[in-house]
């Protein structure tokens, strides 16, 4: 049986959330981002006509589109509306994967025998639009790759169906940049040998592509040929990532405790970004010398950024640690995870901050987590005696 995979994407999500709240924003060039030195988190189609794109510096965006209205953005609002959409989809979909704050995959294989897959999906999209007031695009095809590409081609508010026999005809004329794994470096490399269309890429020998690009070459070749067996991973709010540190000697040294917490946050945040997770719930745990254990948590806007999560962790610790007894253990847990990348947390950030994260993550990935750390958290260096819990539940 051919699979039936739906990709749903909320159109210009941040912009749509703001317009849902204030109808006066409809029809004007709108940029969501932060400050003169910040970057574009999202922009309306009216702004895109002038060349404005996500992750572009705000100053450059305003040079391209001087009449654009810039708004700081409200991540609490965006997180809540994302949750509302998730609940609607989760109630109806047999298998739902939340790929990011505004992007979803549904596996509805076999549903055509009872409802008609396209009709059912269209009705579900209309339900989302009616109940949330947010525009949503979708496409239906045989796998994640084709469905995602088709959604992009159908926007805004597009509803495409690409049956198995038409997959290659649909893909062939498109640019290879439409393939999710093909970034700018790969595009430039392939362009130099005349490979710019998916058809040309699909007709290349897979071995040649693998020699040129490396281990990802075969995966890119498969996607160019409409082959993708990646399953839709069921979404659950119970996913979490955590770490705990047991001290060799019980301590009441506040400065030391905060340094260890900072290092733990940095370690978990790096793991979130490496595995493309965003967290919405932060929990701090302490265990006193007499083994009494207490926890406190708070909700946060979806993020994987050290500087944002550190602030929440320190606030929770201050509220939690009131007895001033010696501690034997402290721990942190990030939960309520969804798939996503750091780009949705751009409102307070400068381009320099984003470049710093990218550079630090690159060094950590290549040389190890403690190859580069913030000075304040450098004292946290896990060893075999520490009770370290690194898990995705």
């Amino acid at each position: 049986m051919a699979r039936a995979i739906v990709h749903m994407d909320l159109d210009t999500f941040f912009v749509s959330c703001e317009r849902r709240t204030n109808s006066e924003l409809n029809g004007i060039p709108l940029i969501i981002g932060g400050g003169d030195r910040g970057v574009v988190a999202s922009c309306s189609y009216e702004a895109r006509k002038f060349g404005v794109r996500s992750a572009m510096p705000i100053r450059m965006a305003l040079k391209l589109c001087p009449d654009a209205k810039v708004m700081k953005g409200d991540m609490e609002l965006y997180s809540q509306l994302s949750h509302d959409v998730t609940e609607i989809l989760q109630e109806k979909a047999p298998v739902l994967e939340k790929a990011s704050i505004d992007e979803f995959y549904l596996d509805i294989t076999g549903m055509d025998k009872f409802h008609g897959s396209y009709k059912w999906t269209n009705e579900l999209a209309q339900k989302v639009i009616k109940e949330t007031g947010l525009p949503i695009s979708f496409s239906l095809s045989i796998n994640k790759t084709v469905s995602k590409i088709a959604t992009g081609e159908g926007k805004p508010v597009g509803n495409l169906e690409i049956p198995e026999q038409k997959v290659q005809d649909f893909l062939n004329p498109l640019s290879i940049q439409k393939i999710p794994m093909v970034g700018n470096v790969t595009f430039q490399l392939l362009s130099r040998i005349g490979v710019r269309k998916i058809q040309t890429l699909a007709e290349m020998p897979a071995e040649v592509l693998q020699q040129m690009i490396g281990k990802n070459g075969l995966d890119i070749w498969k996607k160019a040929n409409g082959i993708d067996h990646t399953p839709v991973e069921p979404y659950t709010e119970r996913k979490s990532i955590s770490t705990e540190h047991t001290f060799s000697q019980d301590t009441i040294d506040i400065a030391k405790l905060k340094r260890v917490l900072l290092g733990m946050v940095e370690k978990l945040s790096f793991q979130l970004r490496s595995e493309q997770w965003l967290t919405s719930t932060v929990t701090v745990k302490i265990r006193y010398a007499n083994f009494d254990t207490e926890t406190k948590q708070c909700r946060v806007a979806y993020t994987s950024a050290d500087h944002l999560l550190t602030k929440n962790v320190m606030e929770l610790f201050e509220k939690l640690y009131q007895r001033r007894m010696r501690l034997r253990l402290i721990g942190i847990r990030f939960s309520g995870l969804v798939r996503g990348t750091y780009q949705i947390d751009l409102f307070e950030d400068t381009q320099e901050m984003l470049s710093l994260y990218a550079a630090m993550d690159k060094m950590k990935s290549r040389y190890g987590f403690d190859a580069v750390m913030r000075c304040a958290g450098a004292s946290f260096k896990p060893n075999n005696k520490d009770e370290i819990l690194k898990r995705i539940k």
Side-chain angles (χ1 to χ4, degrees):
M1 180 186 298
R3 293 199 299 163
I5 307 298
V6 176
H7 178 258
M8 286 189 163
D9 196 348
L10 292 159
D11 295 320
T12 56
F13 179 51
F14 298 163
V15 170
S16 297
C17 290
E18 296 294 346
R19 287 176 168 174
R20 176 182 181 270
T21 306
N22 182 4
S23 60
E24 293 182 3
L25 300 174
N26 292 339
I28 67 172
L30 183 62
I31 295 173
I32 309 297
D36 290 339
R37 298 182 63 209
V39 293
V40 177
S42 181
C43 58
S44 66
Y45 285 105
E46 292 83 0
R48 292 183 187 185
K49 291 179 181 179
F50 292 87
V52 179
R53 294 290 182 270
S54 296
M56 176 182 289
I58 295 288
R59 288 181 179 178
M60 183 183 297
L62 289 176
K63 287 181 180 179
L64 294 172
C65 186
D67 296 330
K69 180 178 178 62
V70 179
M71 299 185 64
K72 181 178 178 181
D74 184 350
M75 274 304 298
E76 286 191 20
L77 171 66
Y78 308 156
S79 296
Q80 181 56 54
L81 290 174
S82 173
H83 179 72
D84 294 344
V85 174
T86 304
E87 285 194 330
I88 294 171
L89 299 180
Q90 204 163 25
E91 180 184 356
K92 298 290 185 180
V95 183
L96 172 71
E97 175 181 332
K98 188 169 184 175
S100 70
I101 193 172
D102 60 353
E103 187 178 10
F104 309 84
Y105 290 101
L106 292 71
D107 189 336
I108 60 172
T109 302
M111 192 167 286
D112 56 318
K113 294 182 178 180
F114 307 99
H115 304 283
S117 297
Y118 181 84
K119 179 182 177 182
W120 181 89
T121 305
N122 189 55
E123 290 175 351
L124 180 58
Q126 294 305 313
K127 180 178 176 68
V128 170
I129 295 171
K130 181 179 179 180
E131 295 189 12
T132 68
L134 298 171
I136 190 168
S137 296
F138 77 83
S139 62
L140 169 65
S141 194
I142 59 172
N143 59 50
K144 283 183 171 181
T145 295
V146 180
S147 295
K148 182 178 176 65
I149 293 174
T151 303
E153 291 301 293
K155 281 190 172 188
V157 198
N159 305 323
L160 298 182
E161 180 178 15
I162 313 296
E164 185 173 14
Q165 64 272 20
K166 294 184 178 180
V167 165
Q168 207 59 53
D169 290 339
F170 165 72
L171 293 175
N172 282 343
L174 300 178
S175 167
I176 59 174
Q177 288 182 299
K178 300 291 184 179
I179 300 175
M181 292 180 67
V182 177
N184 186 59
V185 174
T186 303
F187 174 72
Q188 295 298 332
L189 176 64
L190 293 173
S191 292
R192 284 197 289 268
I193 63 170
V195 180
R196 295 181 179 85
K197 300 293 184 182
I198 290 181
Q199 181 173 2
T200 310
L201 184 61
E203 292 173 352
M204 286 181 65
E207 297 80 7
V208 173
L209 194 59
Q210 196 163 13
Q211 288 175 357
M212 289 183 60
I213 301 175
K215 61 182 181 180
N216 290 331
L218 182 59
D219 290 333
I220 293 174
W221 180 86
K222 287 180 178 179
K223 293 179 185 298
N225 282 278
I227 302 169
D228 180 9
H229 301 299
T230 307
V232 174
E233 300 286 351
Y235 171 72
T236 172
E237 290 281 2
R238 289 193 293 254
K239 294 189 179 79
S240 69
I241 181 173
S242 63
T243 183
E244 293 180 356
H245 182 95
T246 301
F247 297 100
S248 55
Q249 291 185 337
D250 299 346
T251 181
I252 199 171
D253 187 336
I254 299 294
K256 177 181 178 180
L257 291 168
K258 289 186 175 181
R259 286 196 302 269
V260 173
L261 283 171
L262 181 60
M264 295 166 75
V265 172
E266 188 170 355
K267 182 180 181 65
L268 289 184
S269 298
F270 170 63
Q271 189 171 345
L272 287 173
R273 294 192 297 273
S274 298
E275 300 177 9
Q276 295 192 330
W277 290 104
L278 299 169
T279 181
S280 62
T281 305
V282 175
T283 304
V284 174
K285 171 183 176 181
I286 60 173
R287 181 169 294 155
Y288 291 98
N290 64 356
F291 285 89
D292 285 353
T293 303
E294 298 177 7
T295 63
K296 190 173 285 290
Q297 72 175 32
C298 68
R299 296 277 294 182
V300 299
Y302 285 114
T303 186
S304 61
D306 304 11
H307 65 287
L308 299 177
L309 292 169
T310 296
K311 178 183 176 182
N312 289 283
V313 166
M314 294 305 177
E315 289 176 354
L316 288 174
F317 178 71
E318 293 285 352
K319 294 176 183 177
L320 188 60
Y321 187 32
Q322 296 293 326
R323 293 163 65 179
R324 300 314 177 198
M325 291 173 55
R326 292 183 181 274
L327 293 182
R328 64 177 286 111
L329 176 148
I330 54 177
I332 300 172
R333 183 174 74 248
F334 297 151
S335 55
L337 306 186
V338 298
R339 289 291 181 185
T341 58
Y342 177 63
Q343 69 175 13
I344 72 164
D345 293 306
L346 302 179
F347 305 117
E348 299 291 341
D349 299 337
T350 63
Q351 192 173 14
E352 291 83 358
M353 174 67 76
L354 299 180
S355 298
L356 175 63
Y357 271 114
M360 290 178 65
D361 287 351
K362 185 176 181 180
M363 292 182 67
K364 288 174 182 287
S365 297
R366 184 170 182 179
Y367 299 110
F369 160 71
D370 57 359
V372 54
M373 297 179 66
R374 289 174 171 82
C375 292
S379 61
F380 175 68
K381 293 186 178 181
N383 55 52
N384 294 334
K385 294 182 180 179
D386 294 327
E387 181 187 356
I388 300 300
L389 304 177
K390 297 183 296 180
R391 61 186 182 269
I392 296 284
K393 293 181 180 177

